[in-house]
Amino acid sequence: MATYYEQIQEAADALRAKLGGREPKIGLILGSGLGDLGDDVANAVRVPYDALPHFPVSTVEGHAGQFVVGELEGKTVIVMQGRFHYYEGYPMRKVAFPVYVMKLLGVESLVVTNAAGGMNRSFEAGDLMMLTDHINLTGDNPLIGANDPRLGVRFPEMSTAYDAEYRALARRLASGVTGEDGGEPLRLVEGVYCGIAGPTYMTPAELIMLARVGGDAVGMSTVGETIAARHAGLRVLGISCITDMAIGEELEPLTHEQVVAVANRTKPKFKTLVRAFVRDVEA
């Protein structure tokens, strides 16, 4: 049976064979309702996850389930339209698997996006939150188990999980973003993302607890991928689309459809910011 590293290598080799010699340096993982950015990639090669060895299949509505490789803002990028989640029943190592595949393809910079509930009372639905840090509340970690030094060190350092230079660049670019639809300027807020296992949304008491321990937003992805990215030596920019206000004392019922609807409305400004980042980042 192939080892974890061998599985990653086999998947990367299979994907590389479909890319016609392209070598992406920037990877993007697109969360719920945000996958349309992959449609902006020019001269694109699209590879469904189920066409690659050892890949799981995304089962979540709003996730296309494919890699898109091509040109965006003059850079060669690889885009994940759809991701894998711990709550789908996949081990955390499988959730992180595509990050290592992108690393073996040559990716050095990773933009990780998600839809999240805002717990900071100064936030509003429709804001974009740049991640300054995260709190891993999933109860798991993709690095548990034997470490293969070809992937990274045994004890990766996480004090700069979300790259300070990338955050400064995104902060500067956000000031000029109004989105394809014009209108009000982008509100780019910043904060700490709490990653939970899901798939249930949080109870009021749980949200009150998370806010008290320092969380600004909560979601069901991102932390495993960021841990793997830092293990692999990738620099990370994290962006949450705040799709609803998850204030424990004022909590109202929420559906996945509502989350996707708000993400869709925010999409023009999100796409403009990410495209500007890809254009200006050194990669």
Side-chain angles (χ1 to χ4, degrees):
M1 183 176 177
T3 66
Y4 186 58
Y5 183 84
E6 289 168 343
Q7 291 179 4
I8 294 166
Q9 194 166 46
E10 288 172 13
D13 288 345
L15 182 53
R16 187 182 295 109
K18 299 176 184 293
L19 301 186
R22 302 181 204 205
E23 297 182 358
K25 297 297 182 184
I26 302 173
L28 299 97
I29 301 177
L30 303 180
S32 295
L34 302 173
D36 283 3
L37 181 61
D39 298 334
D40 293 352
V41 175
N43 304 313
V45 175
R46 292 177 169 81
V47 182
Y49 298 146
D50 60 11
L52 298 171
H54 312 297
F55 257 78
V57 177
S58 180
T59 65
V60 182
E61 182 183 347
H63 290 248
Q66 63 181 0
F67 280 115
V68 182
V69 182
E71 308 304 315
L72 187 68
E73 298 294 333
K75 307 280 182 66
T76 302
V77 301
I78 180 167
V79 178
M80 286 186 68
Q81 282 188 308
R83 55 151 53 93
F84 312 112
H85 300 83
Y86 189 53
Y87 64 72
E88 294 177 84
Y90 296 122
M92 193 63 83
R93 284 192 131 198
K94 188 64 77 172
V95 170
F97 186 85
V99 174
Y100 293 113
V101 171
M102 288 190 281
K103 168 67 175 182
L104 291 193
L105 291 176
V107 168
E108 298 173 356
S109 304
L110 186 65
V111 180
V112 186
T113 76
N114 59 63
M119 298 185 295
N120 186 315
R121 290 176 179 272
S122 70
F123 293 178
E124 300 174 3
D127 286 347
L128 295 183
M129 186 190 85
M130 187 161 57
L131 276 63
T132 59
D133 207 339
H134 71 232
I135 302 173
N136 182 7
L137 296 167
T138 65
D140 206 341
N141 188 304
L143 307 187
I144 289 174
N147 182 65
D148 192 318
R150 291 171 292 183
L151 295 176
V153 299
R154 169 75 279 189
F155 301 107
E157 205 274 328
M158 292 293 290
S159 68
T160 55
Y162 301 94
D163 192 275
E165 291 183 7
Y166 284 8
R167 285 189 280 128
L169 174 59
R171 193 180 299 121
R172 176 174 63 80
L173 294 170
S175 63
V177 172
T178 58
E180 297 167 0
D181 58 350
E184 293 296 319
L186 168 67
R187 262 176 53 98
L188 182 67
V189 297
E190 302 183 31
V192 175
Y193 177 88
C194 293
I196 62 170
T200 54
Y201 293 117
M202 304 294 280
T203 69
E206 289 168 337
L207 291 171
I208 292 168
M209 177 194 70
L210 295 187
R212 288 178 177 172
V213 300
D216 294 293
V218 60
M220 304 173 191
S221 66
T222 299
V223 294
E225 295 150 328
T226 297
I227 290 168
R230 295 302 300 136
H231 181 232
L234 306 185
R235 300 174 70 181
V236 180
L237 175 71
I239 302 175
S240 294
C241 175
I242 302 300
T243 55
D244 61 283
M245 292 309 298
I247 306 296
E249 296 88 343
E250 304 168 7
L251 191 64
E252 296 181 357
L254 178 68
T255 67
H256 182 66
E257 290 73 21
Q258 289 172 292
V259 167
V260 172
V262 175
N264 283 332
R265 290 198 299 272
T266 309
K267 202 174 339 187
K269 294 175 184 177
F270 163 81
K271 289 168 64 174
T272 302
L273 176 62
V274 174
R275 289 186 67 133
F277 178 83
V278 169
R279 181 193 67 222
D280 287 6
V281 72
E282 293 185 11

